[in-house]
Amino acid sequence: MRHLYLFTGLLFCFFAAAAQAPKPPVVPTQPYRLELPLEAYSSDVLVQPLLEDSSLVLLVEKEPLLTGKSEYTFQKFDHRLQPGQVVPLPVPRGYEFRQICAEGTDVYALFQGTTEGTLWVAAFDSRTGELGTGEFKTKRARQVHDLKALDGNLFVTVEADMHLTILLLDLRAATFRFLPSVYEPLPATFTFLADSVTKRAELILSETNGFKSRLQLKQLSDNGQLLHSEFVQAGSERGLLEAQLSPGDSAARLLAGTYTLRDSRYSQGLFAADLNAGVTPTGQRRSLRYYDFLNFKHFFDFMKPARVARMRQRSERLRASDRQYRHRYRLLMHDMLPSPEGYVLVAEVYFPRYNTSSYNNLGGLYNYGYGNNFGPLARSYNAVNRRNEGYRTTHALICGFDRQGNLLWDNSFLLDEVEHFSLQEAVRVRPLGDGRRLVMAYLKENEFYYKMVDQTTATPTTGR
């Protein structure tokens, strides 16, 4: 989704300054400010941060007032928000922007054409200002879901022939190919990670038969070759939903994500597994550890203490009769971050927001309202039309694991009913220079909210 950020200076400078300030206290300031000479009604701006040199690149689209095609430009700003050269981007007529990503100081923008299966790519070297472009007529690629860069190649998650697959674009050779190792029938869910340190891509696929869920891990080379494949599954009535893999070139290989109890729509808690610990003769992971949401100290900070106490009491009663308290949460996980003790995982709690309309037998509107993930508001004897109108993020869980998957600490970040039309990350997370503390932030209606997290210690949420 594209946004116009006229307050880029405040958000970016806070993260850049905080990352270079290891000594507490760190309070966000606005030493630099950037205001773009654009009209919100006729312009869109994509902001791509470059962590390698603390700069950023803007992809600006200016829409014509009457007729004609949109005009695009790339422009780089350094860590002081000083502007660099403006490079025009000659996007052909009939193409619309889809995704942007970066590797090092190179920025890639992907556009999709009105001709079925046609893609157009722009590669911008932010150090030299050099621009390269190319068209790919794939014939099969339909909807574009994600874009990742690895060693100059682009991995595009697309729909093709009612399957979800990966399209590899080799920019040097100007060729493309669909990866046969990734071809999953819709609907499908997987996480795709590109690690520039190891020059490897990792695919974590969620598989379910309606009752049990498991994960399949596939490791790919930078040119898309399948290197390794393995399954991770839970015992008893648990199922593994989604996961993230530890980054970087390290001897540790930690998998962490969400698990469920029978119902694959909802998460019961988090799991962690040391993939180097091996498996039992029956194929079970020796190191699988499960953490029910009730095991966390801060997951339920959004609730009143009395309600949390009643929930814990009910859980104890159920446990006495060999039953478990069932949670009904959905989590969106961020990429795992390295830490001195191991790794940090951030997961946002969200729920779909439905427009529920009910009609009586005469065809008139009977009831109108918003449902939630527990079901519609309409009565059972009426015809119900439930339309997803977006997602609401309520809070984020942040927790630390050691390299074997043991939970070390947890904290939370409460959000003020942040809503998006599509499912996307609402919170931004950045580690500070001391390697221990992190800052979490989000934007809502031009207000900047942040929280400093030092493991179990945290400052109150502050808005600016």
Side-chain angles (χ1 to χ4, degrees):
M1 182 178 294
R2 294 174 289 180
H3 301 278
L4 180 61
Y5 290 118
L6 298 182
F7 40 83
T8 306
L10 173 61
L11 179 63
F12 181 75
C13 283
F14 169 60
F15 289 137
Q20 300 172 4
K23 296 182 180 180
V26 177
V27 179
T29 61
Q30 187 178 314
Y32 316 109
R33 181 179 178 88
L34 172 64
E35 294 191 13
L36 305 176
L38 301 172
E39 298 291 345
Y41 63 84
S42 62
S43 303
D44 281 313
V45 177
L46 272 299
V47 181
Q48 178 61 59
L50 303 180
L51 299 182
E52 184 165 315
D53 59 0
S54 296
S55 64
L56 58 84
V57 170
L58 303 186
L59 174 60
V60 180
E61 177 189 5
K62 292 184 179 180
E63 300 176 355
L65 296 179
L66 297 176
T67 59
K69 66 176 184 177
S70 298
E71 297 179 355
Y72 292 88
T73 57
F74 278 122
Q75 185 171 12
K76 183 177 180 178
F77 293 83
D78 65 16
H79 70 282
R80 298 176 182 269
L81 296 183
Q82 295 299 308
Q85 66 179 121
V86 177
V87 178
L89 179 60
V91 180
R93 187 182 299 273
Y95 280 90
E96 292 187 0
F97 171 82
R98 287 294 180 262
Q99 296 283 338
I100 191 170
C101 72
E103 182 184 26
T105 56
D106 294 328
V107 178
Y108 303 93
L110 178 67
F111 297 78
Q112 189 170 20
T114 54
T115 302
E116 196 169 55
T118 305
L119 302 174
W120 190 82
V121 176
F124 175 60
D125 187 333
S126 66
R127 294 171 298 180
T128 64
E130 183 180 357
L131 179 68
T133 63
E135 184 181 54
F136 297 87
K137 297 181 178 181
T138 70
K139 297 183 180 180
R140 296 172 53 204
R142 301 297 182 263
Q143 186 172 349
V144 176
H145 291 280
D146 195 15
L147 176 69
K148 296 290 175 61
L150 183 60
D151 198 27
N153 292 329
L154 294 183
F155 292 79
V156 190
T157 304
V158 298
E159 293 181 16
D161 305 327
M162 298 301 295
H163 286 71
L164 197 63
T165 184
I166 299 293
L167 173 65
L168 175 64
L169 304 181
D170 187 332
L171 303 186
R172 299 183 185 92
T175 60
F176 71 89
R177 60 188 174 93
F178 292 92
L179 301 185
S181 58
V182 185
Y183 193 67
E184 304 300 329
L186 295 174
T189 301
F190 64 69
T191 302
F192 188 80
L193 308 171
D195 195 326
S196 59
V197 176
T198 61
K199 302 297 182 182
R200 296 287 185 268
E202 300 278 356
L203 179 75
I204 307 172
L205 172 67
S206 177
E207 300 178 341
T208 180
N209 59 7
F211 299 96
K212 288 282 291 183
S213 300
R214 69 177 183 181
L215 300 174
Q216 183 180 11
L217 277 61
K218 296 183 179 182
Q219 187 179 75
L220 309 176
S221 66
D222 55 2
N223 62 4
Q225 180 183 358
L226 179 63
L227 302 176
H228 178 70
S229 179
E230 60 182 317
F231 289 98
V232 180
Q233 57 189 17
S236 66
E237 61 182 354
R238 295 188 180 99
L240 307 183
L241 291 178
E242 299 180 50
Q244 295 287 342
L245 196 61
S246 57
D249 190 6
S250 171
R253 197 160 180 256
L254 182 68
L255 183 74
T258 58
Y259 76 93
T260 183
L261 291 177
R262 296 182 181 174
D263 193 335
S264 60
R265 294 174 299 173
Y266 307 115
S267 299
Q268 182 71 16
L270 299 185
F271 79 89
D274 178 5
L275 298 181
N276 293 331
V279 298
T280 66
T282 60
Q284 300 297 318
R285 292 282 166 178
R286 300 180 185 275
S287 62
L288 265 174
R289 296 172 174 83
Y290 303 98
Y291 303 98
D292 188 291
F293 291 132
L294 288 167
N295 295 136
F296 295 97
K297 297 180 180 179
H298 296 282
F299 184 87
F300 298 101
D301 283 354
F302 68 98
M303 289 185 180
K304 294 182 179 179
R307 182 181 173 188
V308 177
R310 290 194 299 269
M311 182 173 58
R312 293 187 183 278
Q313 291 171 1
R314 184 183 177 190
S315 175
E316 291 297 327
R317 291 195 300 269
L318 290 173
R319 188 178 302 173
S321 58
D322 289 332
R323 293 184 295 169
Q324 293 193 57
Y325 186 93
R326 299 295 181 90
H327 301 290
R328 300 174 70 89
Y329 295 103
R330 304 173 194 255
L331 272 68
L332 175 65
M333 290 181 299
H334 291 225
D335 292 349
M336 212 179 303
L337 300 172
S339 71
E341 298 84 8
Y343 303 98
V344 172
L345 183 65
V346 175
E348 300 182 18
V349 181
Y350 73 92
F351 63 88
R353 194 166 57 88
Y354 293 109
N355 176 337
T356 304
S357 302
S358 303
Y359 296 87
N360 58 24
N361 294 333
L362 299 178
L365 182 64
Y366 182 84
N367 184 30
Y368 179 85
Y370 286 105
N372 54 29
N373 52 348
F374 296 96
L377 298 177
R379 299 183 181 181
S380 59
Y381 52 80
N382 291 319
V384 178
N385 176 26
R386 301 181 71 215
R387 182 178 63 191
N388 189 332
E389 288 200 338
Y391 302 87
R392 175 176 296 173
T393 304
T394 58
H395 63 289
L397 171 69
I398 180 169
C399 48
F401 294 95
D402 65 16
R403 290 170 176 79
Q404 287 70 48
N406 297 301
L407 179 65
L408 302 177
W409 55 269
D410 72 274
N411 218 309
S412 67
F413 184 29
L414 305 186
L415 278 67
D416 184 17
E417 296 185 350
V418 176
E419 297 179 354
H420 294 289
F421 288 110
S422 60
L423 184 58
Q424 58 183 282
E425 294 179 0
V427 176
R428 296 293 181 265
V429 183
R430 290 291 182 271
L432 301 188
D434 57 10
R436 176 183 175 91
R437 293 170 302 147
L438 301 102
V439 60
M440 308 179 71
Y442 70 94
L443 292 169
K444 180 182 179 181
E445 297 177 353
N446 296 346
E447 292 291 328
F448 177 58
Y449 298 87
Y450 71 93
K451 183 175 184 176
M452 308 291 294
V453 177
D454 184 354
Q455 298 188 1
T456 57
T457 304
T459 63
T461 300
T462 303
R464 296 176 63 88

